[in-house]
Amino acid sequence: MAGSGRKIFQITRLPMAVLQAYAMVAIAGAWLWAFAQFWTFMVIELPKDLGPYSQMSSLSMFMHRAFPMRETNDIEFEYKFEHVLMLANVMLVLMMGWMPTRYELREKAEKLKKAAGKGKKK
């Protein structure tokens, strides 16, 4: 087993992984809280401040139509812990990189060999 590669699971990395998972949930929660504040301002507070005869701005109209809150009758942006977890999972998947395949690793090794060979010839 001396020639085998690095192990995928290492028990020593578990505390760091748990910390990273909690950090991702905290970031997703903070993002949803900030978005809720921004949505409330753009969709509810800004049209109130502009007066009864004003029109909604284009961004306010977009946010009102793209993120409707029919459950609360459009009086506040509401989210649950499941939404925080879903956002954390989506952010995690977007941040992950694809693992290189065997073929890609072999090609990379061949390119490095060719580059090393050219360096020796000069």
Side-chain angles (χ1 to χ4, degrees):
M1 276 293 194
S4 67
R6 205 176 80 180
K7 292 181 182 177
I8 294 175
F9 176 76
Q10 297 174 354
I11 195 73
T12 57
R13 296 276 302 150
L14 189 61
M16 186 62 174
V18 170
L19 183 65
Q20 287 175 337
Y22 278 117
M24 191 60 101
V25 170
I27 290 169
W31 168 257
L32 278 176
W33 176 81
F35 185 77
Q37 299 301 314
F38 184 66
W39 185 92
T40 302
F41 174 74
M42 290 301 291
V43 174
I44 297 168
E45 298 298 325
L46 189 63
K48 280 184 193 174
D49 291 343
L50 293 176
Y53 298 110
S54 67
Q55 292 183 352
M56 290 178 87
S57 68
S58 58
L59 182 59
S60 295
M61 188 63 73
F62 167 75
M63 292 186 73
H64 182 68
R65 299 282 186 248
F67 308 103
M69 283 289 126
R70 292 185 185 95
E71 300 86 18
T72 63
N73 203 20
D74 285 331
I75 58 169
E76 69 177 330
F77 188 86
E78 194 175 82
Y79 57 94
K80 299 176 185 166
F81 187 63
E82 295 95 33
H83 299 120
V84 174
L85 291 177
M86 285 185 275
L87 179 61
N89 284 331
V90 168
M91 288 174 24
L92 180 74
V93 168
L94 289 174
M95 289 171 33
M96 280 188 342
W98 293 106
M99 294 299 294
T101 62
R102 287 184 199 166
Y103 179 74
E104 291 170 338
L105 290 172
R106 197 176 311 125
E107 277 186 340
K108 186 177 180 181
E110 288 173 4
K111 285 182 184 178
L112 289 175
K113 283 182 185 177
K114 286 181 183 177
K118 286 182 181 180
K120 289 181 181 179
K121 288 181 181 179
K122 289 183 179 180

